Amino acid sequence: MAHPSQLGFQDAASPVMEELLHFHDHALMIVFLISTLVLYIIVAMVTTKLSNKYILDSQGIEILWTVLPAVILFLIALPSLRILYLMDEINNPHLTVKALGHQWYWSYEYTDYQDLSFDSYMIPTQDLTPGQFRLLEVDHRMVIPMNSPVRVLISSDDVLHSWAVPTMGVKMDAVPGRLNQATFIAARPGVYYGQCSEICGANHSFMPIVVEAVPLIHFENWLSLMLEDA
């Protein structure tokens, strides 16, 4: 969960998000080195006439300016492609949940179990209890087992929405008439918050997403209660 004056990303709760954080730090260091080099060259050109001779008329510098960007792109592309393939990899998920966006709430359907579906509405401010977060808490959370691959099928019933949970490293558009999918693994138990990331109308900011990761035994107990109620 984000906190006031936070610098950087939220703590990763899935292996994919951990990889994304590492890639961010990797790319940021490359940008820092490039900025430092360019700043040094600018200062040298402005302050020293001797440097202008070597910087502007040097064949070695021209070769460096040609080869160096190619090497930098190579250093960025390899980890980037690795993470992209990792995010698209879906092998035998233990649980499949269909998330359907509406104006302005989400509905969830556990496709592996018959008759298990529910709507998830934001809790109004006046109905919040102590400890709940304003504009983020919902009446029915999406409950998943931790340390299990979860596939989320995402679509929309009306307009464009986007199902996003930053701590899980998941952000997928919900497009009417199209079924997108995302996968993640909750590495630890907890409650993780997200919001619709697509401007979908007047109440766009009032359709939060809450994912609760619990141990398998607690998930089975929750599942039994939900199936009995259904």
Side-chain angles (χ1 to χ4, degrees):
M1 183 65 193
H3 55 79
S5 303
Q6 176 177 330
L7 182 63
F9 294 96
Q10 300 179 30
D11 292 337
S14 70
V16 169
M17 190 59 192
E18 291 179 1
E19 294 290 336
L20 290 174
L21 291 179
H22 293 158
F23 176 70
H24 168 267
D25 296 339
H26 171 74
L28 191 62
M29 184 56 65
I30 292 177
V31 171
F32 175 77
L33 294 176
I34 294 174
S35 302
T36 303
L37 176 62
V38 172
L39 180 61
Y40 168 77
I41 293 176
I42 291 176
V43 172
M45 291 178 64
V46 171
T47 59
T48 311
K49 291 183 179 180
L50 183 63
S51 297
N52 292 340
K53 175 182 178 182
Y54 291 101
I55 292 176
L56 298 178
D57 301 325
S58 172
Q59 183 177 3
I61 292 295
E62 293 181 3
I63 295 175
L64 179 65
W65 281 126
T66 303
V67 174
L68 190 59
V71 174
I72 292 173
L73 289 176
F74 183 78
L75 293 175
I76 294 176
L78 281 183
S80 176
L81 291 174
R82 173 178 171 273
I83 295 175
L84 284 175
Y85 281 110
L86 182 64
M87 295 174 67
D88 286 338
E89 189 73 20
I90 301 178
N91 289 325
N92 300 321
H94 295 174
L95 180 68
T96 299
V97 183
K98 182 178 180 181
L100 192 63
H102 307 270
Q103 290 182 313
W104 287 273
Y105 65 95
W106 294 94
S107 61
Y108 297 100
E109 178 183 349
Y110 288 68
T111 59
D112 298 317
Y113 306 93
Q114 189 176 7
D115 298 328
L116 180 51
S117 61
F118 53 86
D119 297 329
S120 180
Y121 289 89
M122 186 193 76
I123 298 178
T125 302
Q126 62 273 17
D127 296 334
L128 291 174
T129 59
Q132 291 183 326
F133 296 101
R134 177 177 173 269
L135 301 182
L136 287 177
E137 196 58 68
V138 296
D139 56 356
H140 293 94
R141 297 171 174 175
M142 173 182 162
V143 180
I144 61 170
M146 58 177 290
N147 294 326
S148 297
V150 177
R151 175 175 56 187
V152 184
L153 304 177
I154 303 165
S155 187
S156 172
D157 189 47
D158 36 49
V159 299
L160 288 175
H161 299 281
S162 185
W163 200 84
V165 182
T167 51
M168 294 292 181
V170 178
K171 181 180 182 296
M172 183 62 67
D173 288 340
V175 183
R178 178 175 176 177
L179 198 62
N180 294 327
Q181 64 179 359
T183 183
F184 60 88
I185 299 175
R188 62 176 186 268
V191 180
Y192 308 105
Y193 297 89
Q195 289 179 306
C196 175
S197 305
E198 195 74 49
I199 300 177
C200 56
N203 291 332
H204 152 68
S205 57
F206 302 105
M207 50 182 304
I209 302 161
V210 182
V211 177
E212 183 176 359
V214 298
L216 181 59
I217 183 64
H218 296 299
F219 173 76
E220 292 176 345
N221 294 335
W222 174 84
L223 195 62
S224 299
L225 293 176
M226 293 295 292
L227 291 174
E228 289 177 4
D229 293 340

